């Protein structure tokens, strides 16, 4: 295995920060959690994890191919990661607070319905692979990755959000009230935004 513990730690921390940013998965988790509780929400979290693995591994395989032909391009993608994290941080700092609406189509009962909903949320967003292509070179030396490295990174890409989503499912009632509190929502955005900018800075000065 070529990736180091520090690279794994930094990537895991970045994944956790990204999980804290409210988005479609949060809306889906809340929609199912509010209607079916933990039993209704955890299958969706599992489906999202499958999708995360698929996009992360696909991105790494594409980057490996790119590295074999265009090593300089992969090097410059590190700075794309810096831009992505800083842009997300600034966006959170400037974002307006809006009440999150829960779409009815996400609340269909049943484990399989939740599982497929989670998979479709992730796989239905082709921008996800572009996101992974943009950030992964900022954390790992893509050209040196071995199959075991790709497996570990893919597992982390799924495990960190999955654990976070399980906690979210357990706390859905509290979180739903928090997300609809403009003051608390704004504080989360500000703190997460500043930390994302710091992560971008750490990527910039590393290696």
């Amino acid at each position: 295995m070529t990736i180091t513990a520090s690279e794994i730690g930094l990537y895991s921390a970045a994944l956790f920060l990204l999980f804290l940013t409210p988005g479609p998965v949060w809306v889906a988790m809340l929609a199912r959690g509010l209607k079916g509780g933990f039993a209704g929400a955890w299958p969706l979290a599992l489906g999202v994890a499958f999708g995360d693995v698929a996009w992360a591994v696909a991105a790494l395989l594409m980057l490996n191919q790119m590295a074999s032909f265009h090593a300089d391009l992969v090097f410059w993608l590190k700075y794309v990661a810096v831009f992505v994290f800083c842009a997300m941080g600034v966006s959170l700092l400037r974002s307006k607070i809006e009440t999150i609406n829960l779409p009815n189509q996400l609340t269909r009962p049943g484990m399989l319905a939740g599982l497929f909903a989670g998979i479709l949320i992730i796989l239905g967003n082709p921008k996800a692979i572009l996101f992974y292509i943009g950030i992964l070179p900022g954390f790992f030396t893509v050209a040196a990755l071995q199959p075991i490295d790709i497996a570990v990174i893919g597992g982390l890409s799924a495990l960190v959000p999955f654990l976070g989503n399980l906690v979210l499912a357990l706390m859905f009632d509290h979180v739903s009230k928090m997300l609809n509190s403009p003051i608390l929502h704004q504080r989360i955005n500000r703190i997460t935004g500043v930390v994302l900018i710091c992560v971008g800075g750490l990527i910039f000065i590393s290696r």
Side-chain angles (χ1 to χ4, degrees):
M1 191 165 72
T2 63
I3 56 178
T4 65
S6 61
E7 289 175 332
I8 291 174
L10 182 59
Y11 182 59
S12 298
L15 288 172
F16 178 70
L17 289 172
L18 293 172
F19 160 76
L20 290 179
T21 305
V25 175
W26 275 49
V27 175
M29 291 293 298
L30 287 169
R32 293 192 64 82
L34 287 171
K35 187 168 184 178
F38 182 77
W42 77 262
L44 186 136
L46 185 60
V48 169
F50 287 148
D52 282 329
V53 170
W55 281 133
V57 171
L60 286 169
L61 293 176
M62 290 181 64
L63 286 167
N64 262 328
Q65 290 296 315
M66 291 170 61
S68 63
F69 296 105
H70 305 286
D72 290 341
L73 178 60
V74 174
F75 170 79
W76 287 108
L77 282 175
K78 167 184 175 179
Y79 298 98
V80 173
V82 173
F83 172 78
V84 167
F85 279 97
C86 290
M88 289 180 65
V90 171
S91 176
L92 283 173
L93 291 174
R94 299 181 60 185
S95 65
K96 295 180 180 179
I97 306 304
E98 298 178 355
T99 300
I100 292 179
N101 297 315
L102 306 178
N104 293 328
Q105 60 266 35
L106 295 177
T107 60
R108 195 187 328 176
M111 188 178 76
L112 285 179
L115 182 67
F116 287 130
I119 294 174
L120 290 175
I121 287 171
I122 297 299
L123 296 186
N125 179 17
K127 293 180 181 179
I129 193 170
L130 298 177
F131 172 76
Y132 280 115
I133 288 173
I135 70 166
L136 285 170
F139 295 93
F140 308 104
T141 305
V142 176
L145 294 180
Q146 299 175 355
I148 184 64
D149 299 315
I150 294 176
V152 169
I153 295 169
L156 283 173
S157 300
L159 181 62
V160 174
F162 176 67
L163 294 177
N165 284 326
L166 287 184
V167 174
L168 189 63
L170 289 168
M171 303 175 63
F172 71 90
D173 186 51
H174 174 71
V175 172
S176 66
K177 294 176 182 177
M178 177 182 70
L179 289 177
N180 285 291
S181 168
I183 295 176
L184 290 176
H185 194 172
Q186 188 174 57
R187 287 176 182 172
I188 290 175
N189 281 354
R190 286 178 175 174
I191 294 171
T192 307
V194 170
V195 177
L196 283 172
I197 293 172
C198 291
V199 170
L202 288 173
I203 295 173
F204 181 78
I205 65 176
S206 65
R207 292 198 298 273

